[in-house]
Amino acid sequence: MPNGFIWSSVDEPHAARRREMLRTHPEIKELYGPCSRTKYVCTLLVGLQLSLAFLLRDAPWWLIVLVAYAVGGVINQALLLAIHELSHNLAFRKPWHNRVFGVFINLPVGVPVAETFRYYHLRHHIHQGDERLDTDIPTEFEARLLRHRASKLLWLSCQGFAYALRPLFVHPKKPGASEITNLLVQVAFNVAVFHFWGGKALAYLPISSLIVMGLHPIAGHYISEHYVFREGQETYSYYGPLNVLAFNVGYHNEHHDFPYVPGSRLPKLRAMAPEFYDGLLSHQSWTATLWNFVMSPSLGGYSRIKRRVERRRD
């Protein structure tokens, strides 16, 4: 088991690879820009999830949890990954359209995340591995905790809380007007669901979000993307069938190389330049990724690449 993070003295790999890929494959630029289908798919998912909440308003708790795991969690994870697409302005051409739509598709998630996620995720791309600005990396406390199978299993089951709380300790920020608006809209929506459909319908929504970020096959993408499974490799892709439910987030090397290519076109990106990806380790199964993370003594919270960045003093 590693006793510390893996430190790198070189820049994150994606900017350099992007330059080289554009030099040899300039046609990649044809893939840039929003995907027009995203808004329709998301609207359908919102309607489906709210319909399930309505139908479950008087259901027993065991059925609510079962549906949340089998169906609702998959829908909410898809919406969370759609918010990820929107943070890169990949549904509409105008950035503010993406942000407003993000607040809308955030509603079935149950907690306001769209605007806060946008802020931290864009910094994850720009400052990948930065010990202060990349809040995707576990804290020292988490890394020390994730040294045993039982603690890794417990942490995985509560990943949603870890991702929500970590920015408060690593890189806290004062909420802006957009985040406050996101919060107020979400609270108003939650109050309306509770008033008209009851507490069970309301509870079903955040339960779906939390359960899918825990011990769930789709949650494997949180581990597969940047935890080091091969020495020296910082980002990993997954090309399996679950990408259909996740806006192709498994194409993660491709996404970091070209964050302005929507998920629907990432398979085309890989097909255009296979020589840049065939030699990289990729995951075959998100479920297997979770299993290997728990069972392997060489994998844990320290299995992440970090880099220190010199900052100018004002």
Side-chain angles (χ1 to χ4, degrees):
M1 176 65 68
N3 293 316
F5 290 101
I6 305 163
W7 288 93
S8 174
S9 59
V10 299
D11 293 338
E12 57 85 16
H14 301 289
R17 187 157 63 224
R18 177 165 56 249
R19 289 192 294 269
E20 180 62 18
M21 290 178 69
L22 287 174
R23 187 183 68 81
T24 56
H25 296 282
E27 67 274 15
I28 288 175
K29 290 185 178 180
E30 298 173 8
L31 302 177
Y32 291 7
C35 175
S36 60
R37 296 198 307 268
T38 299
K39 55 183 175 291
Y40 302 114
V41 173
C42 290
T43 302
L44 178 64
L45 291 174
V46 169
L48 179 58
Q49 185 70 317
L50 295 184
S51 297
L52 287 172
F54 175 77
L55 294 173
L56 291 167
R57 66 193 184 281
D58 296 317
W61 283 109
W62 67 265
L63 182 59
I64 290 173
V65 173
L66 178 62
V67 174
Y69 188 90
V71 184
V74 176
I75 295 173
N76 274 9
Q77 184 63 217
L79 290 173
L80 287 167
L81 292 170
I83 289 172
H84 167 259
E85 290 276 291
L86 292 164
S87 71
H88 293 287
N89 300 321
L90 293 175
F92 301 90
R93 295 200 176 276
K94 293 184 178 180
W96 74 270
H97 288 176
N98 289 276
R99 299 180 77 164
V100 171
F101 193 68
V103 172
F104 165 66
I105 67 171
N106 191 152
L107 296 177
V109 175
V111 291
V113 299
E115 281 298 313
T116 302
F117 175 83
R118 179 188 182 90
Y119 174 85
Y120 287 110
H121 181 69
L122 294 179
R123 277 148 187 79
H124 163 64
H125 273 266
I126 298 170
H127 306 285
Q128 183 174 312
D130 187 311
E131 60 178 340
R132 189 176 70 86
L133 297 178
D134 186 357
T135 59
D136 189 69
I137 300 173
T139 62
E140 181 70 26
F141 172 78
E142 290 174 271
R144 291 186 179 185
L145 178 69
L146 301 180
R147 297 174 61 84
H148 309 283
R149 290 177 180 174
S151 58
K152 286 191 278 187
L153 192 65
L154 176 63
W155 181 83
L156 285 175
S157 67
C158 302
Q159 267 194 109
F161 294 107
Y163 274 87
L165 297 175
R166 188 184 300 144
L168 301 178
F169 298 95
V170 177
H171 181 49
K173 68 177 290 289
K174 183 179 179 180
S178 60
E179 289 164 304
I180 294 173
T181 301
N182 192 176
L183 172 63
L184 293 177
V185 171
Q186 188 68 53
V187 169
F189 173 80
N190 290 355
V191 169
V193 170
F194 180 81
H195 177 76
F196 291 106
W197 296 348
K200 287 185 175 180
L202 176 60
Y204 163 74
L205 299 175
I207 288 173
S208 296
S209 301
L210 288 173
I211 208 167
V212 78
M213 295 183 74
L215 298 176
H216 193 286
I218 292 183
H221 84 84
Y222 293 106
I223 301 300
S224 72
E225 292 167 356
H226 296 291
Y227 282 82
V228 178
F229 285 75
R230 172 192 279 180
E231 183 178 354
Q233 186 172 328
E234 195 163 344
T235 306
Y236 302 78
S237 290
Y238 156 80
Y239 301 117
L242 291 182
N243 275 307
V244 175
L245 305 174
F247 287 90
N248 282 332
V249 74
Y251 287 75
H252 214 65
N253 261 306
E254 293 82 351
H255 169 64
H256 269 267
D257 289 345
F258 291 92
Y260 11 82
V261 173
S264 61
R265 298 182 200 136
L266 290 177
K268 293 181 181 179
L269 167 62
R270 189 183 190 283
M272 282 182 176
E275 69 273 19
F276 287 92
Y277 299 112
D278 287 346
L280 298 175
L281 177 68
S282 61
H283 294 282
Q284 304 303 309
S285 165
W286 278 337
T287 304
T289 299
L290 291 174
W291 174 266
N292 292 335
F293 181 78
V294 172
M295 300 303 292
S296 174
S298 63
L299 291 170
Y302 285 122
S303 302
R304 292 293 297 263
I305 292 177
K306 295 178 73 172
R307 50 180 53 86
R308 292 188 178 92
V309 179
E310 293 293 333
R311 295 184 176 84
R312 185 179 60 189
R313 294 183 178 179
D314 294 330

